Amino acid sequence: IILRVWFKNRQKTFHNINQKDVMQRLQSGRHFLQIPGPTNVPDRILRAIERPTIDHRGPEFKGLGLELLESIKEIFQTKQPVIIYPSSGTGAWEAALVNTLSSGDRVLMYDTGHFASTWRKLAEKLSLDAQLLHGSWREGAKPEEIEQALVEDKDHTIKSVCVVHNDTATGITSDIPAIRKAIDRAGHTALFCVDTISSLASIDYRHDEWGVDVTVGGSQKGLMLPPGLSFNAISKKALVASGEAKLPRSYWDWQDMLNANKQGVFPYTPATNLLYGLRESIRMLLEEGLDQVFSRHSRLAEATRAAVQAWGLELNALNQSEYSNSLTAVVLPQGHDADVFRKWVLECFNVSLGNGLGRLNGKVFRIGHLGDFNEPMLLGTLGAIEMGLELAEIPHRPEGVRAAMSNLVENNR
Ligand code: PLP
């Protein structure tokens, strides 16, 4: 009650004074960026990025380029080439399609959530014939449905199967090895493209071992970098397909990239300072060890879910085996607006939570627990959420933080 009165009084003050100034004065301490990407950028990376920009065709840059193009492979768990674009993740989505397909080609996509359906819209704009297998947005891609669609495609007119590994809108992770097996069981020749934008460097992902042809990645989530870099890890089969693909491409052309990359440079001006950051990010991830990175994400995600369940709120993900370890999407009880709740949390406690996207707008909020993140940061986030639930008068049991703490103690023993 005291908090609610304080907040309401403060809201009144905002009407009289310039709101932005007040926010800046009142919100001391560090902002908690707990959306599921962009994520918190650690100081080591910020310091790496702030170095002066160098000549991107000079000898020093070539050393950086060669080092990065080799070391990034470890993050994708591949020995094959990884293309680095100065773009957001959407660019890498487009690159994966224009390099491997021709106008009118059929593409099989699975509607796991907002990001899968956005990728499909992009494919249609590129004049591809995108076929969407419908999903509930509460479960992952179903391998048996993909297998069935491929078995029915006797003439192999489907040229690519595209799946989002971790749909950031729904908090659901699909089983990529199981989908690979389904494609193989169908005896189909389609390429397999996977979006790992919100799973790379936070949830185990193996480009080579899992037989993926094009893996799409982005800088602003598990890699702990600002937005602005994106990736295509490519298989030999994808490279062969790129030789036959007819969709127009210039900026995204793999071949121009691969030719320049042999010398450690890029065909156009790279995002040099983000590349400094990428070098630091890879060093940090490898120092911690990828296995430890994945288990830290798993631990923090489990504690988050323990809190949600203790509050008596509903997880958007229905199946335990598909719970995302990089974010949790929480469904609010009917009649409560998730965006109003998020506003309380932001304005009172300086914590940004993710909004519901697409058809989940207003119905869910999302807790990002990926990237440079640890137990005290999680507890701060969960504490702000628990107070926000009370302020927004959302029915819940005030036991979430306690449950998360017990879970973390158990998992750290
Ligand atoms: N795919 C997924 C799974 C995402 O989470 C996002 C963005 O959050 C995208 C694609 C689009 O990437 P970007 O916004 O960097 O263009």
Side-chain angles (χ1 to χ4, degrees), residues 88-90 93 115 164 166 168 195 197-198 220-221:
S88 85
T90 304
W93 262 352
F115 287 100
V164 177
N166 184 75
T168 325
D195 169 341
I197 288 179
S198 61
Q220 73 271 30
K221 304 199 190 236

Side-chain angles (χ1 to χ4, degrees), residues 36-38 87-93 115-116 118-119 164-169 195-199 216-221 227-230 357 366:
S87 84
S88 85
T90 304
W93 262 352
F115 287 100
T118 312
W119 198 7
V164 177
H165 181 210
N166 184 75
D167 204 300
T168 325
D195 169 341
T196 64
I197 288 179
S198 61
S199 55
V216 173
S219 57
Q220 73 271 30
K221 304 199 190 236
L229 292 180
S230 68
L357 293 169
R366 296 172 298 145

